[in-house]
Amino acid sequence: MPKKIINLESRLVEEARKQIEEVGYSAMTIRSVAKACGVGVGTVYNYFSTKDDLLASYLLSDWNQCIAVINGVSTYSDSPTPVVRCIHDQLCQYTQRHQLLFRDKAATSAFAGSFSRYHGLLRSQLAEPLRKFCTSDFASDFIAEALLTWTIAGKGFDEIYGMIDNLFCVPLP
């Protein structure tokens, strides 16, 4: 009977994170993660079908934490300002935490094809907590896209919010 290893999936994800931070995307392999965790390569494949699935798992885990923080602020806010600031701050923190990966040319190349698939989902997740402050879904999607684009481009909150604030609850002529 195979031995059951407690929390193996989370250990694999943490080891992949550690290796990417220490040696980069190209050097992190399923084999190196398996070896560091003391399991066979096949065992890793029981959890993750590819290296990119392993990487996506740790990015998703961090992203879900960001979304939870944003949704928490949105739940208790009667104004869009704290929600927009929270989205901006969470995007800044997320990109800062993963800057080595985002600057890695091999990783960027590997994920280029999946960008368009996930971009819409990302925008939708950011737009959702803004919907209660907007006159239409398009407005919240537009604001989320602006936040995503300009925050990642390095624009500060005050610069972005000065433009975005005009978009909330503005009726069409």
Side-chain angles (χ1 to χ4, degrees):
M1 175 180 250
K3 66 180 180 177
K4 181 157 175 123
I5 303 172
I6 309 277
N7 298 325
L8 181 57
E9 185 173 4
S10 62
R11 286 181 45 213
L12 295 169
V13 169
E14 281 306 310
E15 182 58 34
R17 176 193 315 265
K18 177 181 164 206
Q19 288 187 25
I20 286 171
E21 290 172 358
E22 290 176 1
V23 297
Y25 172 82
S26 295
M28 187 276 290
T29 64
I30 294 285
R31 186 174 305 285
S32 67
V33 170
K35 182 177 180 181
C37 290
V39 298
V41 172
T43 302
V44 179
Y45 282 113
N46 287 334
Y47 293 92
F48 304 100
S49 58
T50 67
K51 169 183 171 174
D52 292 340
D53 286 347
L54 178 57
L55 174 63
S57 181
Y58 104 68
L59 290 172
L60 179 61
S61 173
D62 282 357
W63 181 248
N64 285 338
Q65 291 174 7
C66 291
I67 290 298
V69 170
I70 293 166
N71 288 337
V73 168
S74 175
T75 298
Y76 298 104
S77 182
D78 293 331
S79 163
T81 306
V83 179
V84 173
R85 177 171 291 284
C86 183
I87 291 171
H88 179 269
D89 292 350
Q90 290 300 308
L91 285 170
C92 286
Q93 291 169 25
Y94 186 84
T95 54
Q96 179 66 31
R97 275 194 307 272
H98 301 293
Q99 69 177 327
L100 294 175
L101 181 63
F102 295 150
R103 292 182 182 160
D104 187 308
K105 289 182 182 181
T108 302
S109 177
F111 284 104
S114 62
F115 176 79
S116 62
R117 282 192 324 234
Y118 295 111
H119 184 83
L121 176 61
L122 176 64
R123 182 182 54 239
S124 178
Q125 288 177 325
L126 294 173
E128 187 58 37
L130 298 169
R131 294 200 196 290
K132 69 182 184 179
F133 305 111
C134 294
T135 57
S136 70
D137 286 349
F138 177 75
S140 58
D141 287 346
F142 186 86
I143 293 167
E145 183 67 34
L147 276 166
L148 181 60
T149 300
W150 294 112
T151 300
I152 291 173
K155 300 294 182 187
F157 173 79
D158 292 334
E159 188 174 5
I160 295 170
Y161 196 73
M163 299 295 277
I164 288 176
D165 186 40
N166 295 320
L167 300 173
F168 288 104
C169 301
V170 177
L172 294 174

